[in-house]
Amino acid sequence: MLSQVRPSPKERERLRLISREIIAKIERLAEERGMVLQAMLVGSAARDTWLAQDHDLDIFLGVPENNDLGEAMELARLVAPEHEERYAEHPYVHARVDGFEVDLVPCYLVDDASRLKSAVDRTPFHTRYIKGKIAGLEDDVLLLKQFLKGIGVYGSELKTGGFSGYLVELLVILYRSFPDVLRAASHWRPDTVLDLEGEGKKLHDEPLTVVDPVDPNRNVAAALTLDKMLLFSAASRSFLDLPSLEFFFPREDEPLSDEEAQARMDARGTMPLILQFQAPDVVEDVLYPQMRKAEESIRALLTRKGFLILRSDVLAYRDRAVMLFEMEGWELSRACRRAGPPVWEAEHVARFLAVHPHPLSGPYIKEGRVVVEESRKHNCARDLLAAELEGLSLGKHLSEAIRRGHKIYAGQEILEIRDREFRIFLAQYLDARAPIY
């Protein structure tokens, strides 16, 4: 098992050589420009806790507190001429170097983690803390990372809402082994608090609080959602009861064929309603929160108008964005009932009747209120979404993207979407089976 997650000596040597070459180039360019700058390897690569085949390098370009990060950013561009610029709290450079994904991140060199100028300034402190405590536990970190990856909860990006690499390392340091992390996690409940150094004083609202040992006011598990926390807890119990390699290396999902998708939909008797549009050019940590917010806005619209939704989900892949709403009830009667004010509120009754001047039936009195029955403007979920979509509050980037063009698919029409990634997403959605029992 460890041979599958532990980098080979050849992989380790390649990482060392490439990171040294990049750091040497940074230092040479900085010296040529008379810059005071410290280049450092951080993250799992620096702590020897990176998974085999996980070829990511994080190299920070640290400058004194009174310097401009723009100079470090310009130097990062020179280090990797073929790159793309990304933005977290501030810009950084992402490039591919000899098969490794490399992030070149400017930061400030601060003496104390309590005086950070930006969130990334904390990372060198994390590296020093972990390197001082992780010796002998690296294999346990690798096992835990692969376990979390296998059950789909590894990664603190907002798309996943799971466990960061730093959080994994802290859990192993706290509990001292992979099995003991699982034993502890199998008993977790919402509002669990873990504090390695006993210095946390701030209360947090998240389901799991892990006090950052280098910044006691920060919750390392802030990005972890309740569902992902409890999925890990339940999967830990299941693995301890019946260990299996499938927890670490689950079978890969295959894209659904037309026949398979149709058979699944027929068996469910629901109607999938899909909104597809070109994804705005923003990073996933900006895109996914907006997609989730838009998903809730659309759910609220459909529900408010009387339609029943079984479940929904979102996906962004390549340059596409997709929202899936699985409708239990997608077509309503043309007639609907509108209940008005109590009969004795004469002025309100008059205003109510003025708003509904041509009812199908009524007005009549029911349980003390004036009631009319009138014709719905939209009695089909697809028609309602098409008519009112652009009037919803969907977030700046999504609203603009949807206005530029979108398409709504209903029922069998979703089979027109033939992208492999979408078909895998559809398979995962329809299966929705977590490794917990």
Side-chain angles (χ1 to χ4, degrees):
M1 170 64 195
L2 273 170
S3 64
Q4 295 174 269
V5 298
R6 185 191 287 151
S8 67
K10 185 177 179 180
E11 274 188 286
R12 292 180 190 275
E13 184 60 23
R14 280 193 65 230
L15 181 143
R16 278 193 290 268
L17 286 173
I18 291 168
S19 59
R20 285 173 184 169
E21 287 175 5
I22 295 172
I23 288 173
K25 187 175 182 180
I26 293 170
E27 291 174 341
R28 185 177 68 253
L29 289 170
E31 186 177 358
E32 290 173 359
R33 284 158 180 73
M35 291 176 60
V36 177
L37 183 146
Q38 179 184 345
M40 64 196 98
L41 181 65
V42 299
S44 60
R47 308 191 285 252
D48 207 18
T49 57
W50 55 289
L51 288 166
Q53 310 303 320
D54 186 9
H55 294 169
D56 294 332
L57 288 175
D58 295 318
I59 296 176
F60 276 33
L61 289 70
V63 300
E65 292 182 58
N66 58 349
N67 283 30
D68 184 359
L69 287 184
E71 292 183 74
M73 185 65 183
E74 182 56 38
L75 194 145
R77 295 187 186 104
L78 294 172
V79 171
E82 294 185 12
H83 65 267
E84 64 175 283
E85 294 188 18
R86 296 181 176 177
Y87 190 91
E89 189 171 336
H90 54 66
Y92 66 95
V93 163
H94 176 80
R96 189 168 181 83
V97 180
D98 292 338
F100 280 79
E101 300 289 328
V102 181
D103 286 337
L104 300 170
V105 184
C107 74
Y108 291 106
L109 297 172
V110 296
D111 296 327
D112 191 322
S114 65
R115 296 193 299 105
L116 304 176
K117 294 189 69 175
S118 73
V120 296
D121 301 341
R122 192 183 289 112
T123 303
F125 291 92
H126 289 167
T127 298
R128 288 193 288 272
Y129 181 86
I130 297 298
K131 287 181 74 171
K133 293 180 178 290
I134 204 68
L137 298 173
E138 293 90 347
D139 286 345
D140 292 276
V141 171
L142 297 180
L143 289 172
L144 182 54
K145 282 186 175 182
Q146 189 61 48
F147 183 86
L148 294 166
K149 197 173 183 179
I151 65 173
V153 300
Y154 183 58
S156 60
E157 64 277 4
L158 295 177
K159 174 184 177 180
T160 303
F163 293 75
S164 69
Y166 180 53
L167 176 54
V168 171
E169 292 162 339
L170 292 179
L171 292 174
V172 170
I173 290 169
L174 176 62
Y175 293 113
R176 308 307 296 169
S177 75
F178 166 67
D180 284 334
V181 173
L182 299 194
R183 291 187 188 100
S186 66
H187 299 291
W188 281 353
R189 300 287 185 273
D191 300 323
T192 294
V193 178
L194 307 175
D195 189 350
L196 282 78
E197 302 294 335
E199 296 183 357
K201 297 179 177 63
K202 184 178 178 181
L203 296 177
H204 298 273
D205 295 330
E206 293 84 16
L208 175 67
T209 296
V210 179
V211 178
D212 191 336
V214 306
D215 185 356
N217 287 324
R218 176 176 177 262
N219 177 16
V220 180
L224 180 64
T225 67
L226 176 63
D227 288 347
K228 294 299 174 68
M229 170 192 170
L230 296 180
L231 171 52
F232 173 51
S233 179
S236 296
R237 286 199 302 271
S238 297
F239 178 81
L240 293 170
D241 288 342
L242 190 63
S244 168
L245 279 176
E246 198 163 322
F247 283 87
F248 299 90
F249 301 102
R251 289 188 296 266
E252 287 192 15
D253 291 295
E254 293 294 326
L256 288 180
S257 66
D258 287 356
E259 294 74 20
E260 290 168 330
Q262 187 64 64
R264 296 277 197 96
M265 290 190 291
D266 289 345
R268 296 170 78 82
T270 56
M271 188 193 76
L273 187 64
I274 285 180
L275 171 65
Q276 186 187 64
F277 53 94
Q278 185 169 346
D281 186 18
V282 294
V283 296
E284 284 191 341
D285 273 2
V286 173
L287 177 59
Y288 268 88
Q290 286 197 23
M291 289 185 69
R292 293 295 184 193
K293 182 179 179 182
E295 175 191 12
E296 287 305 311
S297 293
I298 294 172
R299 285 182 63 97
L301 167 68
L302 293 167
T303 302
R304 188 168 64 249
K305 297 296 186 178
F307 298 98
L308 296 178
I309 303 172
L310 179 65
R311 192 153 48 95
S312 61
D313 206 350
V314 301
L315 170 71
Y317 62 99
R318 295 200 317 275
D319 64 341
R320 299 280 88 189
V322 165
M323 296 184 190
L324 166 62
F325 303 89
E326 185 178 7
M327 308 301 299
E328 283 190 86
W330 57 92
E331 193 166 12
L332 304 173
S333 64
R334 179 62 67 183
C336 66
R337 188 172 68 173
R338 307 293 187 198
V343 176
W344 56 87
E345 295 181 356
E347 290 185 12
H348 292 126
V349 169
R351 282 197 291 269
F352 174 75
L353 294 178
V355 173
H356 304 279
H358 305 295
L360 296 172
S361 301
Y364 58 85
I365 298 171
K366 181 69 175 179
E367 297 178 351
R369 292 182 176 272
V370 176
V371 176
V372 298
E373 292 165 3
E374 63 181 4
S375 180
R376 283 189 172 91
K377 189 174 181 181
H378 303 289
N379 69 321
C380 172
R382 177 184 186 160
D383 293 345
L384 172 67
L385 182 57
E388 301 202 17
L389 175 63
E390 294 187 25
L392 296 176
S393 176
L394 303 175
K396 177 184 176 183
H397 297 104
L398 260 59
S399 292
E400 291 175 355
I402 288 169
R403 276 197 297 271
R404 285 195 297 269
H406 63 271
K407 187 166 183 179
I408 297 173
Y409 300 85
Q412 293 183 350
E413 293 173 353
I414 72 168
L415 300 181
E416 296 174 21
I417 307 176
R418 312 205 64 82
D419 302 77
R420 176 181 172 82
E421 287 184 70
F422 171 77
R423 291 298 182 96
I424 291 174
F425 163 73
L426 190 60
Q428 292 169 338
Y429 173 88
L430 292 172
D431 187 36
R433 183 181 297 275
I436 57 177
Y437 297 109

